[in-house]
Amino acid sequence: MGLSLAGDLATRGIRSLLIEKTDGTILQPKMDMVGVRTMEFCRRWGIAEWVEQSPYPRDYPQDNVWLESFTGVEFGREPMVSKEEEPLPKQSPQKRERCPQDMFDPILTRFVRQFDESTIEYETELQSFTQSAKGVVAELRHKNGTLETITADYLVGTDGAASTVRRALDIPMHGQPVLTYTTNVIFRCKDLPSLHDKGKAYRFIFIGEEGTWLTIVAIDGADRWRLSYVGSQERRTLEEADIHKLILRAMGKPFEYEIESVMPWVRRALVAETFGKGRVFLAGDACHLTSPTGGFGMNTGIADAVDLSWKLAAVLDGWADPALLESYTIERKPVAVRMVTEANRNLKRMLATRTKAPDPIAFDPSPEGAAARKAYGDWYTETMRAEWYSIGIHLGFNYYESPVVCPDGSDNPDDDVSNYVQTGRPGHRAPHAWLKDGQSTLDLFGEGVTLLRLSADAPSTDGFGAAAGERSIPLTIHDLSAQGAEIHDLYGAALVLVRPDGHVGWRGNVVPGDPGGVLDTLRGANPSQAAILPPDLPGEEPHVDLRFEDIESFAGRDEEVRRRG
C-alpha cells in the first residue's frame, strides 16, 4: 500500500518519503492475485504491461481442485484457463492477473523509483510522531541506530496488521479477532505435477473425513508452493515434524522437497473504527484485516491508497478544501466492511466441508465411491463458485453516500458478487467503453477532474470551465458526442463529472444554475449531504482493541518467519 500511495502521489507531483523497517525482501508472498480494478490503476500508471509480463507463466492453468491428496481421490474442480487465454471482461480494458507479491512489489518499487518526488528508505523505522494544525513531526530510527526528525504535511500508516501508527492514534478495531489459527509453509519441489495425476492447477483444496484441512497454491508456476494448514479457532503451534507429516499426507507418498519458510498467522475479520485522525491516516492492513479467501485484501488496500492520494494532492495543490480529507473514512470504511464480509462468506464456503464432510464411501475406489465423490464434488463446486468469480466485489463498490459526491436520486443497482453491471450513477466507478481511437474511457481519467460531454445536443460546458478556472481546479473536457449513443446510455446523462480517482462525482442533462457549487461539493468545500457514519463490522466481540503483542498477521514481521534449510 505504501508503494502504491507513493507512486500515485508522484504521478500528481506530490513529494513523499516512504520508510520500511525491513530490507524489502518478501519471504512469504501473501498475495498473488492482482484484481481487475487494481489493473486499471496499473494501466493509468503505465505499468499494466509490467504486471502482465511478470515471471509468472501466462500459460499456467488456473484450475481449482478439491481432493483427498495428490495421489488420492479427486472430488471435483473448477477448470479455469491460463491468464494468456482468459478474455477481457466486457466491463474493463484489463483483466485480473496472477502476480505474486514477490513479483508485484518489485514492479511497484520500479514504478515509484521513476519519480524524483518519491524517496524510499529501507531498514528505517518510525519511533514516534506528533501532529499539530500545521503538520506532523516524526522521529525515525535508521539501521545504524541513528535517529532523525522529519516534518511533513501528512503521515499515512501503511504499516500492516500490527500498525504502529494505528496504536499511536488509539484507534480500535471491530469484528472477529480470530477466525482460524493458520500456518503457511513455503516449500520447493521441482516439477511437482509430474509426481501425481491431478495435473497443473493454481489451487488445491484438501478434504479429509474431517473436512477441509489444507490448501496448496502454485506461487510461481514453477517450483515454489504455498501450503496453508487452515487450522481452527484453537491455537496450535506446529513443530517441524508436524509440517513434514502435513506435506506427506498431502502428497500421499514420500517425495523430495525443501521447506523454505514457515509463518504462523491468525486469520481475522477486523475493520478500524476510523481510518485516521487529524493529519494522520491509515490504509491497507493497518485499517482492515481479512481472510485471504477471495484475494480482496491487497486490492482493497490499493484502492484505499488511490482514494487518499487524489484527496491529499488536491488539498496540497490548493484547489480542495481540507474538509475533503474527512471523506476518506466515510468512503473507504464501508468498502472495507463489504470486502471483509464477503471474504468471511468465502471462508465459510471453503469450510462447509467440516459440517458436511464426505461420506467414508467417497474415499473408496468402488463404483459406489465414484458416485458419492461426484455428488459431493458437484455440491462443493457449486458452493465455491462465488469465490472464483467475484468481479462485482472488485468493481461494484461505490461512494454514493459520500459528502463529496452529488447524489441524483437514482436507485442503487443490485450488489452482485459474480456479476457487475456498469453504471454512471454518482459515486460509482465511471464505466468503461471502447472509443473509436482504441482508447478506453478509463484512459481519460486520473490527472484532475474530467467533464464528459456525451450528447450532441448537450448544453455548453463553458459554465463548468469558468467555475473551475475561478477555483484553480484542473478540469479537462472531453466531447464524446460523436462516439455514438452507447456511451451516453451507459453513463445515463449528457454531462458527467468524473473525479481524479475515476469515480463519478455528478451527472446531469443540463448545466446547473450554480456549476461552481457542484465543483465545490467535489472538492470538499460544499458537502452535498450530512456525513453518514460508516458501519462497523459485526462480530462476536463488538469492540476489539488489539495491541501489538496480540497480533500475528498474514502481513508477518520478519522475526515471525522461521527459515528452514
Side-chain angles (χ1 to χ4, degrees), residues 126 128-132 135-139 149-152 155 168 279-280:
L126 176 68
S128 64
F129 65 87
T130 59
Q131 62 171 313
S132 67
V136 179
V137 178
E139 184 177 63
T149 300
I150 64 168
T151 59
L155 170 66
R279 289 177 170 265
V280 183

Side-chain angles (χ1 to χ4, degrees), residues 215-255:
T215 67
I216 291 180
V217 301
I219 292 181
D220 61 359
D223 65 344
R224 295 184 79 212
W225 306 84
R226 182 177 67 233
L227 175 154
S228 294
Y229 175 70
V230 180
S232 66
Q233 290 184 314
E234 180 181 351
R235 183 189 292 269
R236 178 186 175 190
T237 300
L238 296 181
E239 301 299 331
E240 186 165 355
D242 298 322
I243 293 169
H244 287 299
K245 288 179 182 178
L246 294 175
I247 295 176
L248 180 61
R249 180 183 174 188
M251 175 55 74
K253 66 180 181 181
F255 72 108

Side-chain angles (χ1 to χ4, degrees), residues 77-90:
R77 66 175 61 209
E78 183 76 31
M80 302 183 77
V81 297
S82 68
K83 303 316 297 178
E84 185 175 64
E85 299 170 290
E86 184 177 350
L88 289 175
K90 62 182 180 180

Side-chain angles (χ1 to χ4, degrees), residues 63-209:
D63 292 12
N64 293 275
V65 183
W66 5 109
L67 68 167
E68 175 193 13
S69 69
F70 282 127
T71 55
V73 300
E74 177 179 319
F75 296 100
R77 66 175 61 209
E78 183 76 31
M80 302 183 77
V81 297
S82 68
K83 303 316 297 178
E84 185 175 64
E85 299 170 290
E86 184 177 350
L88 289 175
K90 62 182 180 180
Q91 304 96 329
S92 179
Q94 298 293 151
K95 59 185 177 184
R96 58 188 176 182
E97 296 291 341
R98 188 70 66 193
C99 186
Q101 186 182 7
D102 54 354
M103 299 177 188
F104 191 57
D105 272 24
I107 289 172
L108 291 179
T109 302
R110 176 184 168 195
F111 164 56
V112 172
R113 290 196 185 279
Q114 291 182 126
F115 301 100
D116 293 335
E117 290 87 351
S118 301
T119 301
I120 305 175
E121 292 190 10
Y122 291 103
E123 299 180 301
T124 301
E125 188 171 359
L126 176 68
Q127 295 294 293
S128 64
F129 65 87
T130 59
Q131 62 171 313
S132 67
K134 296 183 178 181
V136 179
V137 178
E139 184 177 63
L140 312 181
R141 182 182 294 276
H142 296 282
K143 179 183 179 181
N144 61 9
T146 61
L147 298 177
E148 178 186 7
T149 300
I150 64 168
T151 59
D153 292 296
Y154 297 95
L155 170 66
V156 182
T158 59
D159 50 344
S163 173
T164 297
V165 176
R166 189 187 67 237
R167 288 183 293 113
L169 293 175
D170 197 26
I171 295 176
M173 301 191 84
H174 297 268
Q176 295 173 268
V178 177
L179 299 174
T180 67
Y181 287 96
T182 297
T183 299
N184 280 8
V185 179
I186 305 296
F187 71 95
R188 288 186 179 272
C189 177
K190 186 177 180 180
D191 203 13
L192 180 66
S194 69
L195 302 178
H196 58 77
D197 62 355
K198 304 302 184 291
K200 293 182 178 180
Y202 161 66
R203 187 180 185 188
F204 298 91
I205 298 178
F206 294 83
I207 301 174
E209 293 187 2

